[in-house]
Amino acid sequence: MTDEELIAYFEHAKLPETLRLDRATTQTNVQQAVKSNLDLMMADAKDHRCRHRLQRIADAMEKPYDGPEIPRF
């Protein structure tokens, strides 16, 4: 997704409080994480980390992870 597509996607998306990204990662405070990553993306065009984080959140919203968790010992 381009920057404009990410911005448009999150402008109209209904964000949950927490979101399971993968087997080991759960994003808490999704709304705050999206807002801060969008701000960082618009402030620095060379920072690709925030785009990657936003893309992971968008992918998890489209196809939520529903597999097993990492076992706790």
Side-chain angles (χ1 to χ4, degrees):
M1 288 183 154
T2 64
D3 292 353
E4 293 81 21
E5 290 173 333
L6 281 172
I7 293 168
Y9 179 82
F10 285 112
E11 280 180 352
H12 303 291
K14 183 178 178 191
L15 301 174
E17 182 64 31
T18 61
L19 182 64
R20 189 84 183 272
L21 301 180
D22 57 27
R23 185 174 187 209
T25 311
T26 300
Q27 176 67 56
T28 59
N29 298 326
V30 176
Q31 295 171 344
Q32 180 63 31
V34 167
K35 182 184 178 306
S36 64
N37 282 308
L38 284 173
D39 291 342
L40 288 170
M41 182 178 72
M42 289 187 274
D44 185 9
K46 295 180 182 180
D47 186 9
H48 297 286
R49 292 182 203 134
C50 53
R51 284 179 193 78
H52 177 71
R53 286 185 223 119
L54 288 169
Q55 186 63 49
R56 287 188 68 198
I57 291 171
D59 291 343
M61 287 179 61
E62 295 294 322
K63 290 177 56 178
Y65 180 80
D66 62 351
E69 293 184 12
I70 293 178
R72 297 175 191 227
F73 297 104

